[in-house]
Amino acid sequence: MKKSIYGFATLAVAALALTACGQAPEEEPEPTGAETTTTDDGGEATSDVVACLVSDAGGFDDQSFNQAGYEGLQRADAELGITINSIESATDADFGPNIDAMIQEGCTYVIGAGFLLENAIQAAAEANPDINFGLVDSGFSDDDFNPIELDNAKPLLFNTAEAAFLGGYVAAAMSETGTIATYGGMAIPSVQVFMDGYYDGVAQYNEDTGSDVTLLGWDKEAQQGDFTGDFDNQSNGQNLTQTFLSQGADIILPVAGPVGLGTGAALEANGSGAMVWVDSDGYLTTDYGSLIITSVMKEIGAAVFDSIEEQVNGSFSNEPYIGTLENGGVGLSEFHDFEGEVPQEVVDRVEELKQQIISGELVIESPNSP
């Protein structure tokens, strides 16, 4: 079974045991462990587009990228006069059957919420050339991991290294111990791209100020670091965070979806420390807002909405969407409870660095960028 890749990166990840998409029986039962939701809050449909979203195992209430994608789907329902449908995956084995279920229910555009669905979305796109597909956080590849294009499938990608660079700068500036940390859920490009940018942001802060802030959990040059091995088990994130705290780290960046909530639990139990969230604005989407300095955001909801709008306008293209600081596809959230605590000179410098990235004067390089 071919492994997933992210965007145009050539790094292979562990083989995924996914169920291949095939011809569904005439009366296919709902996949075990999956929940289907059909909504049409936007009133009577004025378009024949039926846009559908398949979650990964995190579900649509993961307070992270699945939830953000679902919000984009709901926005399309409200604003574009379409019909929508969605289905949650309980395990990886649900991906293929869930995509088949959406096809059988008449979806004209099917989006997979996350890189783990790459094999299943690709198989469905190849088997159903008259249906369009989208995939968050991954492109498509052949059996030798070479990037390929599919006429009816659009990658929705994000150069989060740019925004994570700014987040790393802020974290380094806010550290009281001079040691911060990061970890990922799985060692895959869409995770490591955050860690690369974060690493470089810390290095920039050290260069600017003559400081020596240490980053635990990631070595960009070696592309090695700490990973929990999953995106579901919050206790794994809690345990790893406790290890970092014992090593003197006081600010943690978890790039692990719901596993990152374990970092919040560890910091809360510790009574000190803070974190930087990813994907969505964690101040608004988690119960740990008071511990979150800022969030490195991927505007997944906007990307999902824009790709659906292409369907409505008849302008679908398989050209990858790539979110950047310049187009607003990635960015830093507000500081919320930390507003006023982040020194003004740091705020000003971060804005200066942001504008340098947008102008091209400063290029944030990562082997994991799309």
Side-chain angles (χ1 to χ4, degrees):
M1 180 68 69
K2 174 172 62 61
K3 302 176 185 178
S4 290
I5 65 165
Y6 170 75
F8 303 109
T10 58
L11 298 176
V13 301
L16 304 175
L18 302 178
T19 303
C21 284
Q23 182 63 40
E26 189 169 323
E27 295 184 12
E28 181 179 18
E30 183 176 309
T32 302
E35 177 182 346
T36 306
T37 304
T38 305
T39 59
D40 188 15
D41 298 334
E44 184 176 352
T46 57
S47 168
D48 59 1
V49 170
V50 182
C52 305
L53 185 67
V54 180
S55 84
D56 82 351
F60 293 129
D61 59 352
D62 67 347
Q63 300 177 331
S64 190
F65 64 92
N66 282 297
Q67 183 171 321
Y70 187 65
E71 290 168 355
L73 182 72
Q74 291 178 306
R75 178 187 167 198
D77 179 33
E79 297 183 18
L80 299 179
I82 64 170
T83 301
I84 68 171
N85 203 344
S86 63
I87 189 165
E88 291 190 309
S89 305
T91 70
D92 292 6
D94 291 330
F95 297 157
N98 282 353
I99 293 168
D100 269 351
M102 294 292 92
I103 293 170
Q104 295 302 316
E105 291 187 22
C107 298
T108 61
Y109 181 48
V110 180
I111 306 169
F115 59 91
L116 290 176
L117 283 90
E118 190 264 328
N119 282 351
I121 287 287
Q122 181 168 330
E126 291 172 342
N128 299 274
D130 295 332
I131 297 174
N132 290 334
F133 294 83
L135 180 61
V136 175
D137 262 356
S138 181
F140 305 100
S141 61
D142 62 20
D143 291 338
D144 295 320
F145 314 117
N146 299 307
I148 63 171
E149 294 183 0
L150 302 174
D151 290 342
N152 60 329
K154 183 181 190 71
L156 306 177
L157 309 175
F158 304 86
N159 190 7
T160 45
E162 294 183 346
F165 175 89
L166 304 179
Y169 195 98
V170 171
M174 292 293 288
S175 176
E176 296 180 359
T177 66
T179 301
I180 63 176
T182 185
Y183 69 89
M186 294 177 65
I188 53 176
S190 58
V191 168
Q192 293 168 195
V193 67
F194 278 96
M195 301 165 83
D196 286 339
Y198 199 69
Y199 179 101
D200 286 342
V202 175
Q204 183 70 55
Y205 176 80
N206 286 338
E207 180 182 331
D208 283 357
T209 63
S211 302
D212 190 24
V213 176
T214 298
L215 176 64
L216 305 177
W218 186 239
D219 182 334
K220 180 185 176 185
E221 184 175 349
Q223 289 289 295
Q224 294 179 351
D226 290 311
F227 299 89
T228 63
D230 71 296
F231 294 97
D232 303 308
N233 191 336
Q234 295 179 25
S235 64
N236 289 338
Q238 186 167 0
N239 292 336
L240 187 50
T241 297
Q242 288 169 343
T243 298
F244 287 141
L245 292 172
S246 71
Q247 295 173 328
D250 62 348
I251 299 175
I252 317 292
L253 171 77
V255 191
V259 171
L261 298 173
T263 291
L267 292 171
E268 199 170 66
N270 188 58
S272 65
M275 63 178 170
V276 176
W277 195 247
V278 297
D279 292 336
S280 60
D281 186 341
Y283 185 87
L284 304 176
T285 62
T286 78
D287 295 328
Y288 298 107
S290 63
L291 300 174
I292 296 174
I293 299 174
T294 187
S295 298
V296 180
M297 298 191 300
K298 289 190 290 191
E299 297 293 351
I300 293 173
V304 167
F305 176 87
D306 289 349
S307 71
I308 294 173
E309 190 171 36
E310 280 189 354
Q311 312 294 314
V312 175
N313 295 337
S315 58
F316 173 82
S317 164
N318 69 349
E319 181 179 352
Y321 167 90
I322 299 179
T324 64
L325 286 176
E326 183 178 10
N327 64 20
V330 300
L332 278 191
S333 73
E334 298 177 14
F335 296 126
H336 297 293
D337 287 355
F338 287 84
E339 196 75 45
E341 293 190 33
V342 180
Q344 188 60 46
E345 61 266 26
V346 174
V347 174
D348 293 342
R349 178 58 172 155
V350 166
E351 179 61 28
E352 180 183 10
L353 291 168
K354 176 183 175 180
Q355 294 306 319
Q356 288 178 1
I357 294 170
I358 290 173
S359 71
E361 179 183 350
L362 175 62
V363 178
I364 308 305
E365 297 180 340
S366 164
N368 301 296
S369 290

